[in-house]
Amino acid sequence: MNNHSQEGLADWAGPILQGALTTLEIAVLAYAIGLVLGLLGASARLSPWAPLRGLATLYSTAVRAVPELLLIILLYYAGSQALTAVTNAMGFSGQVAINGFVTAVGVLAFVQGAYMTEVLRGAILAIPRGQLEAADAFGFSAWARFQRIVVPAMLPNALPGMSNLWLILIKDTALISVIGYSELFFTIQQAASSTRAHFLFYAAAGVIYLAMTLSSTALFARLERRLRRGQPNTEEA
Amino acid sequence: MDFSWLGDPFYQEYLIEGFINTLWLIAVSAIGGLALAVLVAIARLKGPRPLALAVQGFTIVMRGTPLLVQLFFFYYGVGRLLEGIPGIQDSVIWPLLRDPFFYGALTFILSVGAYSGEVLRGALLSVPQGEREAGRAFGLTPLQVFTRLWLPRAIQLCLPTLTGEMILLLKSVPLVSTIALMDLLQAANLIRDETFLVYEPLLLIGGIYLAMTLVLTLVLRQVERHFPGMQPERGRGWLPRRLPHRQREAS
């Protein structure tokens, strides 16, 4: 049984790198879509129209109260069933690999959107009321006010929360391995069981994820400094 | 939607076992994790420099890697290494080291210790220095200052964040189904395999989790209200909370 353990980390470096790229692709796409969902959700939660407010509250509360893994499994089955139905109806069949990627992104974005809704809502509420009134007094249209005042004023407040969500998202991509889509952690699991070097490969997985999260933290810190450049230097901590 | 399997005592047993294991895991991890968090926070603030650095490294690693990866690392990685130690299979602790519950609890304790330790460290730092000096002036020993004054004051400051961590702990429990520990999700998976139903068992435990989150939120809110020094009516600390803004990090 020992001739199996000849292959080691070097033989798996290629697939693992590929998996890491897939993980990053999934994370970036899911983050972008989650951001859009979060903006829509936050606007809906702050809208004057009660049914819309109720719907958005239901979305963000229910999704945040159920474990991510459970949601991911549930939505994965529901999502891939729906997607297969759509592609079959359009005359394609058997595009399981693409479907796996699309559902992985969709599921993570859906969960991410709920958390993003709350982060953005809090950040929008933290904008001093006078700034919005000033925009109205200057005759800004609703869109111009949103784009020129609300977004730039909210971003510095939202950024710590957004950075946290990005870190959560990177770590949540590992959950995709549970449903068998071949991203970083799924590849690692295959490598570990094929070489029987469990300790080595799971430690390597930890190092790769750590590299991703640490470099993201550094990037977000720079971004926040840049976004706060117009603000008075309020000494934190 | 077919929920007729709910009447089958065989499946009920799965669910009850999964529910009990879930509760046990939360209780053990919460108590062990919060105790570890106190040690982590104090080691980073007052420990000798090498220890403080080591603990900081531990915190960074635990907070920067997915919980699922940690779970696999301890269960498959460390677990298999332990298996290879000669004589260990005859020792008294072997049944414990073979049990997935042990690895699940260990991972969660370390994770809660790292996350809550950071929260607690920030809170300990925001307790005004003068209060500790007052304690010393009243003749308390340094240990008494810590246990009776510094730590309780810090907990007051960060209690809402700590209770948030407990909710996140509750929501990470389903991860242990991946190491074949019988929690609610694993129970649902077994029922799905046997009944060929895709959604119903998952929806059921989704409902159970929703209810558990709500109950835990209400219980923790009561804890927050009745914690000594909290004003009951406002439900918040009467000192401004000056903790860094953070939401965190599930998995």
Side-chain angles (χ1 to χ4, degrees):
Chain A
M1 63 178 258
N2 247 350
N3 46 1
H4 274 294
S5 49
Q6 295 304 325
E7 52 175 355
L9 202 53
D11 302 288
W12 282 90
I16 288 176
L17 200 66
Q18 186 59 47
L21 281 179
T22 313
T23 285
L24 281 179
E25 278 167 28
I26 292 178
V28 168
L29 277 175
Y31 194 67
I33 301 172
L35 203 55
V36 174
L37 282 178
L39 262 182
L40 290 177
S43 323
R45 284 210 58 174
L46 296 170
S47 98
W49 197 47
L52 199 59
R53 224 162 44 220
L55 198 68
T57 311
L58 182 71
Y59 166 58
S60 77
T61 314
V63 169
R64 289 183 311 138
V66 176
E68 278 93 342
L69 181 60
L70 183 58
L71 268 180
I72 284 174
I73 295 178
L74 250 178
L75 293 173
Y76 191 80
Y77 285 111
S80 49
Q81 204 172 26
L83 255 179
T84 312
V86 170
T87 46
N88 281 350
M90 292 187 339
F92 310 108
S93 56
Q95 303 216 355
V96 185
I98 296 173
N99 285 357
F101 184 80
V102 173
T103 30
V105 169
V107 163
L108 287 174
F110 185 77
V111 176
Q112 186 77 180
Y115 287 88
M116 196 65 88
T117 297
E118 290 307 305
V119 167
L120 296 182
R121 186 182 82 102
I124 292 176
L125 284 177
I127 300 174
R129 181 121 204 93
Q131 297 191 6
L132 301 178
E133 284 166 359
D136 288 335
F138 275 104
F140 277 49
S141 71
W143 171 245
R145 191 182 78 160
F146 177 76
Q147 178 206 346
R148 296 268 174 92
I149 310 290
V150 174
V151 170
M154 148 197 102
L155 266 182
N157 298 330
L159 211 62
M162 285 171 60
S163 140
N164 267 329
L165 286 183
W166 168 251
L167 297 180
I168 296 174
L169 180 61
I170 288 187
K171 291 185 270 170
D172 271 359
T173 55
L175 300 182
I176 295 294
S177 68
V178 173
I179 45 187
Y181 184 70
S182 174
E183 42 67 74
L184 176 57
F185 194 49
F186 190 77
T187 316
I188 293 274
Q189 287 175 36
Q190 284 179 320
S193 60
S194 145
T195 61
R196 297 164 153 266
H198 296 271
F199 188 88
L200 174 72
F201 278 100
Y202 291 129
V207 171
I208 298 173
Y209 280 107
L210 198 59
M212 288 186 192
T213 47
L214 287 184
S215 50
S216 311
T217 313
L219 278 179
F220 266 101
R222 288 188 66 162
L223 191 62
E224 183 171 355
R225 267 208 304 282
R226 186 176 154 69
L227 283 176
R228 284 200 186 276
R229 69 196 182 281
Q231 291 191 341
N233 198 356
T234 49
E235 193 57 53
E236 324 115 42
Chain B
M1 290 287 132
D2 172 16
F3 279 101
S4 55
W5 45 272
L6 266 178
D8 190 329
F10 192 62
Y11 296 141
Q12 285 172 3
E13 212 166 285
Y14 280 163
L15 287 170
I16 290 170
E17 194 193 337
F19 187 65
I20 291 174
N21 272 341
T22 299
L23 291 186
W24 261 116
L25 199 55
I26 296 170
V28 171
S29 316
I31 294 170
L34 289 177
L36 180 65
V38 175
L39 296 181
V40 163
I42 199 68
R44 283 203 57 186
L45 289 178
K46 291 281 166 187
R49 202 165 155 71
L51 179 67
L53 283 178
V55 170
Q56 187 180 5
F58 161 78
T59 313
I60 290 175
V61 170
M62 294 307 283
R63 303 200 322 154
T65 53
L67 194 50
L68 187 64
V69 174
Q70 296 164 12
L71 209 52
F72 273 63
F73 177 77
F74 286 117
Y75 184 61
Y76 294 108
V78 177
R80 294 281 161 89
L81 280 191
L82 289 176
E83 226 168 54
I85 299 174
I88 198 168
Q89 310 217 2
D90 306 319
S91 71
V92 255
I93 51 164
W94 180 243
L96 182 69
L97 294 179
R98 226 178 31 188
D99 190 355
F101 189 93
F102 169 75
Y103 293 96
L106 174 75
T107 313
F108 286 161
I109 286 174
L110 293 180
S111 171
V112 171
Y115 281 106
S116 305
E118 273 300 286
V119 174
L120 212 52
R121 187 182 73 97
L124 285 171
L125 279 176
S126 27
V127 173
Q129 177 95 36
E131 297 190 14
R132 281 151 57 200
E133 284 164 4
R136 293 289 288 150
F138 272 102
L140 298 179
T141 66
L143 182 68
Q144 280 175 324
V145 169
F146 182 72
T147 56
R148 301 206 184 164
L149 206 154
W150 199 13
L151 185 63
R153 286 286 288 115
I155 293 177
Q156 275 176 12
L157 292 176
C158 67
L159 199 57
T161 323
L162 285 185
T163 57
E165 297 288 331
M166 294 304 107
I167 305 276
L168 290 169
L169 169 66
L170 166 71
K171 292 200 299 166
S172 27
V173 168
L175 292 178
V176 299
S177 66
T178 56
I179 56 169
L181 173 55
M182 180 70 135
D183 78 316
L184 278 171
L185 182 57
Q186 185 66 5
N189 285 338
L190 291 177
I191 295 173
R192 288 168 67 211
D193 287 344
E194 288 170 25
T195 59
F196 303 112
L197 293 166
V198 180
Y199 297 110
E200 286 88 341
L202 289 176
L203 286 175
L204 175 76
I205 65 157
I208 296 179
Y209 264 106
L210 206 62
M212 281 167 69
T213 312
L214 286 180
V215 170
L216 189 62
T217 311
L218 292 179
V219 169
L220 291 175
R221 191 171 298 164
Q222 287 309 309
V223 173
E224 281 174 33
R225 283 215 178 141
H226 294 288
F227 193 82
M230 293 295 200
Q231 276 200 344
E233 282 319 300
R234 285 161 61 201
R236 288 266 162 122
W238 41 271
L239 277 166
R241 288 195 286 133
R242 288 193 297 149
L243 285 178
H245 175 96
R246 74 191 272 279
Q247 242 94 22
R248 140 55 209 229
E249 265 118 319
S251 68

